[in-house]
Amino acid sequence: MNDSEALQAATVHIRNIGGIDERSVRLDPGVTVLTGRNATNRTSFLRALMGACGSDAVSLKGDADEGIVELELDGRTYTRILSRENGTVSTDGTPYLRDTTTADRFAFLLGSNEARRAVVAERDLHDVIMAPVDTDAIEAEIERLQSRRTQVERRLDSLDSLEADRRSFESKRDALEAEIEELEAERDELDAEIEAEDRTVESQRENQAALDEVLSDLQSARSDLETVRFRLQSERESVESLREERGELQSELDSFDGEAVDPGEANDRIDSIRSRIESLNSTISELQTVVQYTEDVLDGKTDLVEDSLGAVGGDGSVTDRLVSSETTTCWTCGTEVGRDQIRETTDRLREVRDEKREERVDLRRELDELERSMRAAERAERDRRSLRDKLRRLEDELDRRTGQIASLTERREGLAERVEALEADASDLRGQAEGDLIELHKELNEAEFALDRKRDELASVHDDLDALDARFDEREKLETERAQVEEELEAARTRIRSLTTAAVEAFNEEMETVLGLLGYDNIERVWLERVERRVREGRRKVDKTQFKLHIVRASDSGAVYEDSIDHLSESEREVVGLVFALAGYLVHEVYETVPFMLLDSVEAIDAERIAALVDHFEQYSTFLVAALLPEDAQALDASYRRVTWGTDVTPTV
């Protein structure tokens, strides 16, 4: 995870951001310690770095109309520009990340970090760890796959009779082939008899001229009849080939996904989403400005409010009243209010801001999906039109050839009647022997007709078998599709469970390691348990996964017992919160998307334990930037880079 050799040093240039006028800081791979007293803009630097990464936590300096933070990393420069116009701050530039939702929760571990605060406030930890995962989309995917599986199974049920149908058609085919074979043998036998009879009666013919004319016409009619039969057979073969091609085209056309996108509705939704995102950007920026402004004032940055509050009489300065007292003068109404009350209001504003961010992320995801669906729908529609045009041309050709078959069949029937009439005329002109010959010709003609009918029936059976084979191919494809849907369904069902299991394992493993490093004597174990609870959602009850945090303590007598998070010391709670954030960092592989981990507001933990935590966290991130008091920083490894913050420090390093 820590790939410090792959990256060069990072440089951050800041102007008019937070409480910083202008400063540049170089960050080497590994640990960088920002050391200084409170209210020296260390947190402003961390928020500026977050802003360069794409976070909305960055704020514009109160007396500036424009601020900028630049991040130079690995040969590229990333920027975040903040501009104030008509009281509204807007953002621009090309930050490192497009979406920092996951990084804000699990990599930027400031005092207001949601994962850290969730532990202290005893919030639902499962929802916090799973927030970057679009569980609604996964559930929708499961429902879609279940619906698709049902459709496939219904179509497979409709194909259950295929084997019986095939046996029936094959039996009919075999019977027809046997009958055709018998008729062909009968025809060949009649041909031989006619040839022998012709030699017998050749010398007995009377009215030879008339008979010759009739026989000539008869021969011509028989030749025409044979030609028509040949053309009819050729047309049947062509029709059979066209039907096969039509079946392939129809199958290809049917294979298109039936889901359609309404362009009008999709475009309206896209316009609506874009408008909403613009509105959210403005709202988030305004909320961030208010939250950051309040945090800066509570941190003692009096230069932001002195002009508004003016000089304060008495023994203390404005800074003393804002930082040291339990109450402070509200900079909006001028009354004395409790600092905790202002913090609670700020927390509520921060929660609203985070909700707006999550809504914006969801809208951006929906926008991407809509645009992708529109493009896919357009491509599919073009392909469908092309297939429909080709199928229509093929249908026209099939209709034309089918018409030719009907015309040829009608002509064959007419020629057969003419042959029969000519055979009757020839019979009248011949003697008894010749009458027998004519009778043989008549039998031969009947045999040919019977043979044609059986061949027509056999062609129809072959068509039915070909259609059945296509349905067998369809069944095989459906069985393959059902197996694939089952596999995808199982993967979707286990995706969330796998993530929650990994989160629990990561937290428990890291918590055990950290407790061993920090040496809290009265804590035996801190661990997460994954539980399923029946909860009500709307009008129905559903099973919901939750995380239960267990605190196991040891008494002076050596007995162990389970305690709650609110009984832990502030130091212990902060450690648990940091380890929980680290578990999310590992499970969501945040190190793959952003190389920075930021650490702030750890003063509640003693210096030696802070040093142990920094040493442990350092292995997971390329750049670990920790804001520490000077006395806490002294306990850290001397090889770690120090950047000093204070009024007597040169602005640019």
Side-chain angles (χ1 to χ4, degrees):
M1 301 176 192
N2 187 344
D3 194 15
S4 58
E5 295 182 359
L7 288 175
Q8 301 174 354
T11 303
V12 185
H13 304 284
I14 304 170
R15 180 167 57 83
N16 292 335
I17 297 296
I20 301 173
D21 291 325
E22 187 169 2
R23 186 164 185 183
S24 297
V25 174
R26 192 189 77 187
L27 304 175
D28 290 333
V31 177
T32 298
V33 182
L34 308 180
T35 178
R37 310 307 308 177
N38 288 330
T40 55
N41 291 320
R42 294 170 304 156
T43 302
S44 291
F45 171 78
L46 294 180
R47 291 186 180 277
L49 179 54
M50 291 167 61
C53 290
S55 175
D56 292 326
V58 63
S59 64
L60 181 62
K61 197 170 184 290
D63 59 355
D65 292 329
E66 183 178 85
I68 184 171
V69 54
E70 293 182 349
L71 169 63
E72 296 177 2
L73 177 64
D74 201 24
R76 298 185 62 180
T77 300
Y78 306 92
T79 62
R80 197 71 180 278
I81 303 170
L82 282 70
S83 303
R84 192 193 317 275
E85 186 175 355
N86 298 326
T88 300
V89 178
S90 60
T91 59
D92 197 1
T94 54
Y96 187 82
L97 296 175
R98 180 179 179 183
D99 180 10
T100 61
T101 302
T102 307
D104 280 332
R105 281 189 174 90
F106 305 117
F108 304 151
L109 308 183
L110 276 61
S112 58
N113 175 264
E114 184 177 358
R116 292 177 63 178
R117 295 181 62 83
V119 173
V120 177
E122 298 186 74
R123 286 176 50 193
D124 187 341
L125 300 183
H126 174 270
D127 289 348
V128 174
I129 206 78
M130 296 302 293
V133 181
D134 192 348
T135 54
D136 290 339
I138 295 176
E139 294 295 340
E141 176 70 3
I142 290 174
E143 291 183 6
R144 185 191 70 79
L145 290 170
Q146 288 175 333
S147 175
R148 182 57 184 163
R149 181 182 62 183
T150 300
Q151 294 175 3
V152 170
E153 288 178 343
R154 286 175 180 170
R155 290 174 65 184
L156 283 171
D157 289 341
S158 69
L159 299 176
D160 282 345
S161 62
L162 290 181
E163 294 292 348
D165 292 342
R166 170 178 276 178
R167 287 193 296 271
S168 175
F169 284 129
E170 288 177 344
S171 176
K172 188 174 181 180
R173 178 199 62 193
D174 294 342
L176 285 170
E177 288 176 347
E179 292 181 35
I180 288 172
E181 187 176 352
E182 292 177 2
L183 286 171
E184 287 175 343
E186 181 181 350
R187 179 199 60 190
D188 294 342
E189 186 176 332
L190 287 170
D191 279 337
E193 291 182 18
I194 288 171
E195 185 178 356
E197 193 68 22
D198 275 337
R199 289 194 298 270
T200 303
V201 301
E202 187 174 349
S203 61
Q204 302 176 5
R205 290 176 180 166
E206 298 176 0
N207 304 319
Q208 189 67 36
L211 181 60
D212 287 344
E213 183 178 353
V214 170
L215 290 176
S216 176
D217 291 342
L218 180 60
Q219 182 179 3
S220 177
R222 284 174 176 165
S223 176
D224 290 343
L225 181 60
E226 185 63 28
T227 300
V228 168
R229 284 172 176 160
F230 177 77
R231 289 184 58 193
L232 194 57
Q233 181 64 27
S234 298
E235 290 296 334
R236 286 198 186 102
E237 292 174 355
S238 297
V239 166
E240 182 178 356
S241 176
L242 288 172
R243 283 173 178 167
E244 291 178 359
E245 186 177 356
R246 179 183 63 183
E248 293 173 357
L249 287 175
Q250 189 63 52
S251 298
E252 186 175 355
L253 188 60
D254 292 342
S255 68
F256 278 97
D257 192 346
E259 297 181 3
V261 176
D262 188 320
E265 292 182 2
N267 284 323
D268 290 344
R269 180 57 180 160
I270 287 173
D271 292 340
S272 173
I273 289 174
R274 287 173 176 165
S275 298
R276 180 59 180 160
I277 288 176
E278 291 179 3
S279 175
L280 286 172
N281 285 338
S282 177
T283 302
I284 290 169
S285 180
E286 292 172 359
L287 286 171
Q288 179 58 33
T289 299
V290 173
V291 170
Q292 183 59 41
Y293 181 82
T294 306
E295 289 178 345
D296 289 344
V297 171
L298 291 176
D299 287 343
K301 300 180 178 68
T302 59
D303 57 324
L304 300 176
V305 297
E306 282 180 346
D307 293 340
S308 298
L309 296 179
V312 178
D315 297 333
S317 65
V318 174
T319 304
D320 294 333
R321 294 187 61 188
L322 289 175
V323 178
S324 303
S325 176
E326 292 297 326
T327 64
T328 186
T329 301
C330 177
W331 44 91
T332 60
C333 65
T335 61
E336 290 291 323
V337 294
R339 297 172 64 82
D340 290 341
Q341 183 179 354
I342 294 178
R343 287 194 178 91
E344 291 176 0
T345 302
T346 305
D347 288 344
R348 290 197 296 273
L349 288 174
R350 188 182 294 107
E351 290 175 358
V352 172
R353 179 201 63 193
D354 292 344
E355 291 173 359
K356 298 295 183 184
R357 287 177 179 170
E358 292 178 3
E359 181 182 356
R360 182 175 63 184
V361 171
D362 292 340
L363 287 173
R364 285 173 175 168
R365 186 182 296 112
E366 183 181 355
L367 179 62
D368 291 343
E369 181 62 24
L370 277 173
E371 292 176 342
R372 185 198 63 76
S373 298
M374 286 282 288
R375 293 192 297 271
E378 290 173 357
R379 289 195 300 271
E381 184 58 30
R382 287 196 299 269
D383 293 342
R384 275 194 290 267
R385 283 198 300 268
S386 175
L387 282 174
R388 289 193 190 104
D389 291 342
K390 189 173 182 180
L391 190 60
R392 185 170 57 253
R393 291 193 298 271
L394 192 146
E395 289 283 3
D396 293 342
E397 177 68 11
L398 192 58
D399 290 342
R400 186 183 69 81
R401 290 189 178 273
T402 303
Q404 287 182 349
I405 288 176
S407 176
L408 288 170
T409 301
E410 183 178 354
R411 187 179 176 193
R412 183 188 67 183
E413 299 294 335
L415 286 171
E417 291 176 0
R418 175 169 172 73
V419 167
E420 186 176 356
L422 288 171
E423 287 174 344
D425 292 342
S427 178
D428 293 339
L429 293 171
R430 287 177 170 176
Q432 180 61 41
E434 292 179 347
D436 293 339
L437 183 60
I438 295 300
E439 187 64 28
L440 288 173
H441 278 288
K442 184 177 181 179
E443 291 179 13
L444 178 62
N445 191 51
E446 291 175 352
E448 291 283 1
F449 270 114
L451 194 57
D452 287 337
R453 286 194 299 271
K454 293 302 178 182
R455 284 171 175 165
D456 289 342
E457 291 181 31
L458 182 60
S460 177
V461 171
H462 278 297
D463 287 343
D464 292 335
L465 282 171
D466 290 342
L468 201 61
D469 287 339
R471 297 186 71 192
F472 268 103
D473 293 339
E474 179 188 4
R475 185 175 72 174
E476 184 177 348
K477 292 178 181 177
L478 287 172
E479 289 173 344
T480 301
E481 182 178 358
R482 179 174 61 183
Q484 182 178 353
V485 169
E486 289 283 3
E487 183 178 346
E488 293 177 4
L489 188 58
E490 181 62 23
R493 284 171 172 166
T494 58
R495 196 176 308 161
I496 297 176
R497 178 179 291 273
S498 298
L499 283 172
T500 57
T501 300
V504 169
E505 292 176 351
F507 176 84
N508 292 340
E509 180 179 344
E510 290 297 322
M511 196 71 244
E512 182 180 2
T513 301
V514 169
L515 284 178
L517 291 173
L518 303 190
Y520 285 106
D521 296 333
N522 62 341
I523 299 180
E524 287 291 318
R525 186 186 179 199
V526 179
W527 59 289
L528 277 181
E529 179 186 11
R530 181 181 183 275
V531 296
E532 299 286 341
R533 288 197 172 95
R534 194 79 171 168
V535 298
R536 180 174 294 278
E537 285 189 359
R539 297 183 178 180
R540 62 193 183 102
K541 287 187 175 182
V542 298
D543 291 328
K544 184 175 181 181
T545 302
Q546 295 180 344
F547 288 162
K548 183 177 181 181
L549 183 64
H550 296 276
I551 311 292
V552 180
R553 284 186 176 276
S555 65
D556 294 338
S557 63
V560 295
Y561 62 95
E562 186 157 340
D563 206 346
S564 60
I565 186 70
D566 55 318
H567 290 164
L568 294 180
S569 67
E570 184 180 1
S571 169
E572 293 166 340
R573 289 198 301 271
E574 289 294 340
V575 169
V576 175
L578 286 169
V579 173
F580 179 69
L582 177 61
Y585 179 88
L586 297 175
V587 167
H588 293 291
E589 298 179 343
V590 186
Y591 48 82
E592 295 287 354
T593 58
V594 61
F596 300 101
M597 179 183 286
L598 311 182
L599 192 60
D600 191 17
S601 300
V602 293
E603 290 81 4
I605 307 172
D606 59 87
E608 288 74 13
R609 288 182 172 130
I610 291 176
L613 275 176
V614 170
D615 290 343
H616 183 67
F617 277 45
E618 189 266 340
Q619 64 182 304
Y620 298 117
S621 175
T622 302
F623 296 92
L624 175 59
V625 185
L628 302 178
L629 295 172
E631 55 269 27
D632 292 334
Q634 291 177 0
L636 268 66
D637 192 315
S639 64
Y640 292 157
R641 177 178 174 81
R642 261 74 167 175
V643 178
T644 304
W645 291 79
T647 57
D648 57 342
V649 177
T650 302
T652 302
V653 177

